[in-house]
């Protein structure tokens, strides 16, 4: 299998150059360490962002134990570098082959492994058990579609889940799904994403953007996927009729899709600026954010926020980063990845869900006409987050029982 993986690695690096970075780590190679870190795996952007408060809590609880953070995607690795810098050691997760995973564990020698959300790797779990390494699945979630997919290969994944020290599920529904797959110890600890730290840096950068934008109203459509940018542009052009100074901040989930989004903007005849090239947007209708790590900065400057990945069948993205910044939030019908958060926010009147572009335009129009109503909606979103905090301390208690020192 290794020759095929080598060919795959070269091919992917050719198609997407960021995948060439530290490619050897994907085969388990890297510096040898003997300091026995706590290892956190955060596959990509969303998991890396969610891992940040967990890292800070671990550093406070265990100040003498280093932290190792692995990622799978270059974008996830970049978020870790931006938000945690040199306070953690970074590594790409090896391919889940027996040789690569064994080599990685021998060279890194972690004392515990905390996997974010829904990453179940059979060889990782097998060698962790061989090395008597505790493995916890943190913030675990499992959509009905994922449950069905994993269930098809239950002979492969059941032993992996059974070997885990614990699964900390986001909800009773997630807990039951993991039990069906074979997890032995399952706890319901809610979602650690509620334990976001106070976003002081984002608030400061948001004030900077507000100074540049003066009195313009700002609609942020963040973490968009294919199909959503055109929808956003169409809705924006409708809104421009009554609000000609409205600014759309369009943030694709994957910055490498910039060229495709630019074509859509050009075909629509929209004047736009690229975030990577300029910050002066007074004469522009749209700011296309083709950089990483600035979503919360723009949330802090926003009057209105729409969550991407929710108007196409992707499963939605995390609305809590907007909520903690008191943003009025709209998302679409596809929020399976955050179904419990979405449901609870809707029940608490902390967000609005719409079915399509027409309903999105109507809700945005209502908030633009009545900014006080939008502000009250944002205040409810912040209050909702503040009421849900506390899951991180429960995770710390599980780790205390493992006696990591």
């Amino acid at each position: 299998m290794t020759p095929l993986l080598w060919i795959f690695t070269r091919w992917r690096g050719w198609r997407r150059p960021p995948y060439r970075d530290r490619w050897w780590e994907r085969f388990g190679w890297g510096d040898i360490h003997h300091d026995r870190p706590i290892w956190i795996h955060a596959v990509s952007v969303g998991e890396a962002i969610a891992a940040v408060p967990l890292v800070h809590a671990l550093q406070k609880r265990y100040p003498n134990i280093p932290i190792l953070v692995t990622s799978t995607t270059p974008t996830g690795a970049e978020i870790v570098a931006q938000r945690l810098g040199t306070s953690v050691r970074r590594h790409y997760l090896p391919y889940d082959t027996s040789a690569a995973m064994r080599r990685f564990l021998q060279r890194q020698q972690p004392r515990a492994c905390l996997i974010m959300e829904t990453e179940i790797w059979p060889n990782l779990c097998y060698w962790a058990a061989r090395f008597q390494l505790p493995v916890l699945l943190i913030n675990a979630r499992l959509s009905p579609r994922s449950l069905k997919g994993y269930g098809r290969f239950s002979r492969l994944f059941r032993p992996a889940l059974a070997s885990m020290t614990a699964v900390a599920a986001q909800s009773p529904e997630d807990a039951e799904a993991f039990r069906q797959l074979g997890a032995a110890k399952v706890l319901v600890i809610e979602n650690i994403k509620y334990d976001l730290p106070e976003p002081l840096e984002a608030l400061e950068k948001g004030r900077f953007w507000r100074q540049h934008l003066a009195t313009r109203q700002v609609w942020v459509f963040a973490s968009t996927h294919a199909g959503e940018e055109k929808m956003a542009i169409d809705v924006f052009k409708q809104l421009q009729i009554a609000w000609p100074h409205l600014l759309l901040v369009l943030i694709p989930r994957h910055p490498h899709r910039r060229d495709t989004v630019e074509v859509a903007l050009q075909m629509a005849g929209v004047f736009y600026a690229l975030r990577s090239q300029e910050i002066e947007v007074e004469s522009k209708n749209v700011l296309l954010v083709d950089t990483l790590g600035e979503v919360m900065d723009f949330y802090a400057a926003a009057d209105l926020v729409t969550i991407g990945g929710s108007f196409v069948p992707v499963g939605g993205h995390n609305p809590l980063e907007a909520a903690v910044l008191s943003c009025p939030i709209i998302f679409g019908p596809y929020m399976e990845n955050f179904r419990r958060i979405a449901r609870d926010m809707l029940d608490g009147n902390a967000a609005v869900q719409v079915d399509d572009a027409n309903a999105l335009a109507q809700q945005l129009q209502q908030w633009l006409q009545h900014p006080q109503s939008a502000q009250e909606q944002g205040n409810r979103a912040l209050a909702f987050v503040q009421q849900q905090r506390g899951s991180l301390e429960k995770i710390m208690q599980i780790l205390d029982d493992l006696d990591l020192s």
Side-chain angles (χ1 to χ4, degrees), residues 12-192:
R12 185 166 61 173
W14 173 71
R15 288 198 64 192
R16 293 186 59 189
Y19 277 92
R20 300 172 194 168
D21 185 37
R22 309 195 324 262
W23 60 266
W24 55 88
E25 293 180 358
R26 300 185 185 275
F27 294 88
W29 297 105
D31 295 338
I32 297 174
H33 295 274
H34 302 286
D35 52 8
R36 305 203 59 224
I38 297 173
W39 166 28
I40 299 173
H41 176 58
V43 57
S44 193
V45 173
E47 295 80 4
I49 293 171
V52 170
L54 175 60
V55 169
H56 290 156
L58 288 168
Q59 290 170 332
K60 183 177 180 180
R61 193 76 148 225
Y62 307 106
N64 298 320
I65 300 178
I67 307 293
L68 166 68
V69 182
T70 57
S71 305
T72 300
T73 67
T75 50
E78 187 171 344
I79 290 295
V80 173
Q82 286 179 357
R83 302 204 177 188
L84 295 170
T86 58
S87 69
V88 300
R89 191 158 71 239
R90 294 178 289 119
H91 200 290
Y92 279 116
L93 183 75
Y95 295 122
D96 195 52
T97 66
S98 183
M101 201 57 69
R102 182 182 71 250
R103 184 182 301 120
F104 169 79
L105 292 176
Q106 288 173 333
R107 299 173 82 86
Q108 301 299 322
Q109 297 185 18
R111 69 183 69 204
C113 173
L114 282 63
I115 303 174
M116 299 294 297
E117 301 201 0
T118 323
E119 291 282 291
I120 307 170
W121 296 108
N123 277 303
L124 184 159
C125 293
Y126 171 80
W127 283 106
R130 290 286 298 270
F131 289 132
Q132 298 184 325
L133 171 68
V135 176
L136 284 74
L137 194 60
I138 301 296
N139 222 41
R141 61 181 173 89
L142 204 60
S143 67
R145 183 172 62 180
S146 296
L147 174 60
K148 186 176 180 180
Y150 280 119
R152 293 195 188 100
F153 303 95
S154 60
R155 293 181 62 183
L156 185 64
F157 292 108
R158 185 171 292 272
L161 278 166
S163 72
M164 289 184 177
T165 307
V167 173
Q170 293 184 14
S171 69
E173 296 89 346
D174 291 309
E176 179 56 31
F178 280 104
R179 290 190 188 100
Q180 289 180 33
L181 281 180
K185 183 178 180 180
V186 184
L187 310 168
V188 178
I189 303 214
E190 302 299 335
N191 199 319
I192 69 170

Side-chain angles (χ1 to χ4, degrees), residues 252-264:
R253 180 67 171 179
H254 303 291
H256 67 81
R257 294 187 55 248
R258 183 188 76 181
D259 292 349
T260 301
V261 181
E262 281 196 89
V263 170

